Amino acid sequence: MNLSSGYLGLSLKSPLVVGASPLTEKLDNIKIMEDSGAAAVVMHSLFEEQIIAEQLSLHDSTTAGTYSFAESLTYFPEIEEYRLPADEYLTLIQKAKHSVGIPIIASLNGDTVGGWCNYAKKMEEAGADAVELNIYSVPSMVDITAEAIENSYLEIVTAVKSNINIPIAVKLAPFFSNPANMAKKLSDAGVNGLVLFNRFYQPDIDLDTLEVHPHINFSSSSANKLAMRWIAILKDKINCDFAATGGIHTSGDVIKMILSGANIAMLCSELIKHGIGRINAIEKEMIEWMDGKGYESVNQMLGSMSQKKTPDPSRYERSQYVKTISGYKV
Amino acid sequence: MKEKQYVTIDGNEAAAYVAYRVNEVCAIYPITPSSNMGEWCDEWASKGIKNIWGNIPNVTEMQSEGGAAGAVHGSLQAGALTTTFTAAQGLLLKIPNMFKIAGELTPTVFNISARTLATHALSIFGDHSDVMSARTTGFSMFAAASVQEVMDFELIAQAATLESRIPVLMFFDGFRTSHEVSKIEVIDDETMHEMINDDLVAAHRRRALSPDHPVLRGTAQNPDVFFQNRETANQYYTAAPDIFEKIMNKFAGLTGRQYKAFQYFGPADAERIVILMASGCETAEETVEWMNNHGEKVGLLKVRLYRPFDVKRFMESLPSTVKSIAVLDRTKEPGAIGEPLYQDVINALHEGINSSFGSLSTMPVIVGGRYGLSSKEFTPAMIKAVFENLNNAKPKNHFTIGINDDLNHTSLDYDKYFSIESDKVVRAMFYGLGSDGTVGANKNSIKIIGDETNNFAQGYFVYDSKKAGAVTVSHLRFGPDPIRSIYLINNANFIASHQTVFLERYDLLRDLTEGGVFLLNTPYNKDDVWDSIPRTTQKRIIEKKAKVFCIDAQKVAEESGMGRRINTIMQVCFFAISGVLPREEAISAIKSTIKKTYTRKGEEMVQMNLNAVDNTLVNLFEVKVPGEVTATFDLSLPVPADSPDFVKSVIGEIIAGRGDDIPVSMFPHDGTWPTATAQYERRNIALEIPVWDESICIQCGKCPMVCPHASIRIKVFDEKYLNDAPPKFKTMNANDKEWSGMKYSIQVAPEDCTGCGVCVEVCPVKNKTNTALKSLNMAPQAPLRQQEAKNWEFFLSLPEMDRTNIKVTSIRQQQVQRPLFEFSGACAGCGETPYIKLVTQLFGDRAIIANATGCSSIYGANLPTTPFCTDDEGRGPAWNNSLFEDNAEFGMGYRLAIDKQYEIAIDLLNRNSHQIGEGLVSGLLSANQMSDAGVLEQRNRVVELKKVLSSMDTFEAKRLLTVADYLVRKSVWIIGGDGWAYDIGYGGLDHVIASGKNVNLLVLDTEVYSNTGGQMSKSTPIGGVAKFAMGGKPTRKKDLGMMAMAYGTVYVASVAFGSKDDHTLKAFLEAEAYDGPSIIIAYSHCIAHGIDMENPLRQQKMAVDSGQWLLYRYNPNLINEGKNPMTLDSKQPKLPVADYMNSETRFKILFSTKPELAKKYYEEAQITANQRYSYYKYLSERTF
């Protein structure tokens, strides 16, 4: 069975890719991922806030109270060579590249143009095969227009793109007035792939302390339908690769994504919950299904059920949505 | 001669630079102002920098200076080239070993940044009282006058000690030289190699103790031989000056800098000369040159090699024309004929003339004078006055210069405004806050000018006596020639005020020269700024024809993403308008420095600063100065006009920056200083203050409990007192049933609050309709200032709650007790002061405090103001600081005296009971004083007793009157930090707790030497990064509590008020009630931990929740009841220790430098916490 796929110009042995998750924080896990059949690994995200906040926090906490009182002009020894956690991230990419043969995709997460964008270059220098740009914006100011937000996304892409020679993918949230238009603009800006869709940490209220805390639930398969729909819609309209993420747990989920048009499917929650070894099992089940259906390669399947290639394209659109709801009659 | 290489560094670094390279072992201990020398060595060693032989010196911190001296002695005896660094009391602690080291003719150099010895008061600043105390040790004494000389002399001293075998005490002036930043020529390793004779190093090693060629030293000798044996060393002392001279000549050959044991400067036919040592020589040389250029014939003799004192060389260095000599000593020896150098000079002249040394054949007139104690300014004006004194037929002897001695009439008059500063020198002064980065930016500017141009540069920085809201004044000079002006600037070309608030507080332009430039950071625009300047300053601007430039640095900082960091912006302004460098060149240099400085901290930091540079140039503007004064306000008074006389005439003058002008007669003679003076200094340093929402307050009492500065308080009182309340004064009904019907108020002292926000952090109540709000919420101070100041004044006028009506075992009631420790100079958010405040609330009216030197002695008694205060009866804590190392013993001395006087009183009561009255005596003898009510009753009995005694005309009645107050129970508190308790004072602490005496030891455990800038102590936890532990502390924290518990007779508690305040309260009550020694180890969060000081209680909680810090009480009284004395008050840890450690930079930073080591230490910290909890749990669960 030929499972090979391509994503961002990278040749992959299968469409099974490990998505950004805390699992990649340990080098040993990345090795296990390769051993378990992962075709590529997307590293956990390096956050814009993390990059900036770490710099400021380290500076502030080591200089607070200094040069105020003659006896205690400083409180910390002068350390000339700092290695910020962001630098550790780069080291991990280097180590991963030395340790495994599969492509390593670095992940950079932010929502404004700034110095943090330069980290993409550093990621490239560290050996990353591609960069996944996770533009994570929760606009809370009522005066900002959708256009302004979309433009800021494009500015970030342009800033990062101009700095690097490796391919770039953008991981998006589904919350655009017209995601298809946004996808097109990103593609026109030179993005090589779109990762659909990002799942946010959502705030939750602690009823004991009456404080708000970030919270995330593991995904379930039901969550992947949104990605499937939009990949299917965009597949033959936008000139870039697609990665499906969010709610990919079974071989069936992976197959559906490929049929809808995804070059790869990203596994996260499933591996955290049931172990990295699940990649092997999913691959085996995929092969069994493909065998059963007479498929010889993933390429045959790729996008074979995109919106354009289904007999009734409207099934991916609103009319079908109404019909689905009407099916739930009490 | 090689090409000259320059560096811009301070004196401490210059000393350490050479000492590190020509030694193999450094045994160190922190003490201001020498700590930095050890810190540099530790830093270089941890970075793997090698000495001239290619080895990394071993740098080891000891538990005290005494310990460091012992280690040095041992290391020298075992053959390593060894050095140490110290000052003041630290040097005194080394003296016993110094006699030994010299007696054994052991080569070493001790590096001393000379500092004032504590006498009537402590001073961290510079004079020669410490080094003069060591002049009998047998060490050679070698004085450097400038930063350049410090570097040079360090090498000369090392070479000389190896050859002469006489150890050298190399000294320079603390702060004035140790902390002056100066551009100097650096000595390269090759030159050092050429100066150090390896054969002599080998000889030192051959003399070392070794079992391979064993010898014995340290014999005990008897009257028959000791004397003769002691005389054998004379030849070495005789030879030493020649050796020094030979080495100084060799040094001159290599570097071009020629030094002499006695170096004369001036014309060969000078008639009047001054003789002095160290930094004063620089100013004296500058002045002598000026005077000779103005027609005088005066000279200067710099004493470099003070011991051994070579009379022949001394005589030969004096011009034959000398008629009168003034010898200036930077020390005071009360009761002596004169100060040491003065006496030596007279002796030398007497012996020298008799021996026909030199060209003088008759004794000139010689007078001696004191100058510069505790870094008192020493200026050309003063030197000129000293020369003028020599013009008198009978010059004043034993004079003082630089002060107004209207009591003993020793002082010489001088013209304060006399100046000899060259027009070629740019002189700039900068007023800043410690927190705004002014000093850092100025150090940076000095480096830019020093490194990028041919100019010489000098920087000296004057700091505040307070740690919160500290004001700094930077004095910078730049010029084409080496700068010898070793004094503060008093006619600046450029003055900058980096904060708008200084306008009201200081006469900023007093020191501006005519036509100078004034730079002001202000939120006002071009049109409004003039009217925001007070009348005095407007007048000075007009009179001095000053140019005024302004910038809204805060706005530029915020727009550039810099938050409140204005340092780069103000630095750019300085370069843009001062003309010290061509503008474009300067800006380019700043940008290059920004990249160099901040790249290691991240690109965002670089970019923000670069943005700030560009934005600054756009926003800087010049103000058109009107021809007349228009402001409707003037400088504020330093203290309220109705303050007591002493507060106005002394304390207020110090606050106003005019302390130098206060005459001698105004001061108390014995170091006594009034308490309760902090209340008069309204510092107004808070940007925001807490505002009370009484509608949701639950009256928990936590806010005053945690307030570090006693600036938020509670009162409960009768409603009738509210008749004259200001309209905005807030109250609510008291909730506690015991106080039913009374009113309850929480009030902030708006002008004393530091705005730390810890009270808001602890407030447990959330507004039900808006959870962003609590019962306390921070709001801008300025709009609230007047209103709340009135409310505070009214609040103070309300009566205090009767102490007998307060249930002290509950925080909510106990916190109504008046704190007798208020508005100290501690850091905003300080973790120590709440404990001290608690002591004063609970026991302050009968407390006597012994305070170890450290943060608590500084915020406890650093002038100008004193935070310990009194209650309405005039009672309050009595306080003293003896030393760093002896605090436990000092406090035990209190106890011995109190107990003795109590015994005398009891004895006299018993012997005179018939006349006094059996009932009264019986009451006095059997009083139970374990509660405030009991103490009050006893006080009333003592009042009655005194009445009776006053009517008795007997010797014993009069004697009893002197001790009657000791019949009221006294509470002895021995307070200090972990540096004292764990390290330098541990021996004494151990002895005191073993004594069984009723004393209470409070260890304010910040886990580092906080006051001297964060050096490692034995309390530092494993993995903690501190100075002297750059690579993280490799060993676990000493368990002081466990060691104390081993006695079985000591009350021991470990507390953390931010985790469990009622536990802290319980421990303090039990400790004080225990009739024996008690020790409370108190977790004290600290700015040196690298934490968010607005939320420090979170750190305390995490420390306890992770098991890193345990809460427990060990009460020996329970043993008598057949119970287990140990109560573990910590719950099973639920938080990984790593989570706590990651929340503090002191631990987390190790991941940035040595990640593998950090991981190891984190794991060991968890294991330690687990083991410790299990063991304490076992102890608490044992059947007893």
Side-chain angles (χ1 to χ4, degrees), chain A residues 55-56 59-61 66-69 71 73-74 76-80 83 115-116 118 122 209-211, chain B residues 32 47 124 434 463-464 472 565 600-605 766 858 1011-1013 1027 1030 1088 1145 1152-1153:
Chain A
Q55 293 172 11
L56 295 181
H59 178 73
D60 288 349
S61 61
T66 57
Y67 298 117
S68 295
F69 186 71
E71 292 210 73
L73 295 177
T74 60
F76 279 93
E78 184 68 21
I79 295 169
E80 284 175 10
R83 283 190 60 77
W116 67 279
N118 296 335
K122 295 185 178 181
T209 62
L210 292 182
E211 285 170 0
Chain B
T32 307
K47 287 177 181 164
I124 60 170
Y463 299 98
D464 208 321
T472 61
R565 300 175 197 86
R600 66 192 160 96
K601 295 187 174 181
E603 288 183 22
E604 285 297 329
M605 291 292 296
K766 285 201 166 149
I858 293 301
N1011 193 53
T1012 48
K1027 290 174 185 166
M1030 269 190 85
T1145 300
S1152 306
T1153 53

Side-chain angles (χ1 to χ4, degrees), chain B residues 73-330:
Chain B
H73 187 194
S75 176
L76 289 167
Q77 281 298 308
L81 297 174
T82 309
T83 190
T84 190
F85 315 95
T86 197
Q89 259 71 18
L91 178 59
L92 298 196
L93 289 177
K94 290 185 197 280
I95 284 177
N97 259 296
M98 290 171 71
F99 277 97
K100 290 289 297 175
I101 290 166
E104 292 164 349
L105 294 171
T106 321
T108 180
V109 178
F110 279 25
N111 302 278
I112 313 299
S113 46
R115 165 180 159 180
T116 309
L117 289 178
T119 48
H120 67 285
L122 172 145
S123 169
I124 60 170
F125 294 99
D127 65 36
H128 301 163
S129 51
D130 56 355
V131 290
M132 286 303 183
S133 302
R135 68 187 192 276
T136 58
T137 57
F139 266 54
S140 171
M141 293 175 73
F142 197 30
S146 65
V147 179
Q148 180 70 65
E149 288 185 15
V150 170
M151 179 170 278
D152 295 349
F153 285 18
E154 179 64 38
L155 183 59
I156 292 167
Q158 183 75 358
T161 191
L162 283 166
E163 185 162 347
S164 67
R165 296 187 60 188
I166 310 277
V168 181
L169 190 154
M170 208 286 284
F171 71 95
F172 45 96
D173 287 344
F175 279 104
R176 191 58 255 191
T177 307
S178 68
H179 283 59
E180 178 184 303
V181 179
S182 185
K183 180 174 173 177
I184 64 163
E185 203 180 319
V186 70
I187 305 173
D188 58 29
D189 283 11
E190 198 184 328
T191 305
M192 289 190 217
H193 253 305
E194 287 188 57
M195 288 291 294
I196 302 297
N197 182 339
D198 279 323
D199 292 340
L200 295 172
V201 176
H204 169 65
R205 292 211 207 287
R206 278 197 303 278
R207 291 191 294 268
L209 296 175
S210 164
D212 296 323
H213 44 85
V215 293
L216 182 149
R217 291 193 190 103
T219 56
Q221 297 186 348
N222 302 309
D224 52 349
V225 301
F226 182 96
F227 191 174
Q228 303 93 298
N229 200 160
R230 189 78 181 104
E231 293 300 316
T232 58
N234 294 2
Q235 57 185 303
Y236 295 89
Y237 288 87
T238 308
D242 290 339
I243 293 170
F244 265 90
E245 182 169 284
K246 185 179 78 179
I247 288 168
M248 287 192 275
N249 290 341
K250 184 177 178 185
F251 183 83
L254 292 169
T255 65
R257 293 189 291 281
Q258 177 71 61
Y259 299 109
K260 292 182 175 178
F262 300 98
Q263 201 146 8
Y264 177 73
F265 178 82
D269 58 348
E271 294 178 353
R272 291 170 291 152
I273 66 165
V274 293
I275 301 178
L276 70 164
M277 289 191 281
S279 70
C281 292
E282 293 289 282
T283 306
E285 181 174 328
E286 186 189 38
T287 312
V288 163
E289 187 176 25
W290 185 91
M291 289 177 73
N292 288 325
N293 289 340
H294 288 74
E296 308 262 12
K297 278 186 185 171
V298 294
L300 156 72
L301 187 67
K302 300 177 186 178
V303 179
R304 315 284 204 186
L305 184 64
Y306 177 53
R307 289 287 183 273
F309 198 109
D310 185 342
V311 173
K312 188 163 181 288
R313 279 194 172 78
F314 171 77
M315 293 299 293
E316 287 168 355
S317 61
L318 292 173
S320 59
T321 48
V322 168
K323 291 183 179 158
S324 57
I325 297 174
V327 186
L328 293 169
D329 271 279
R330 199 163 200 157

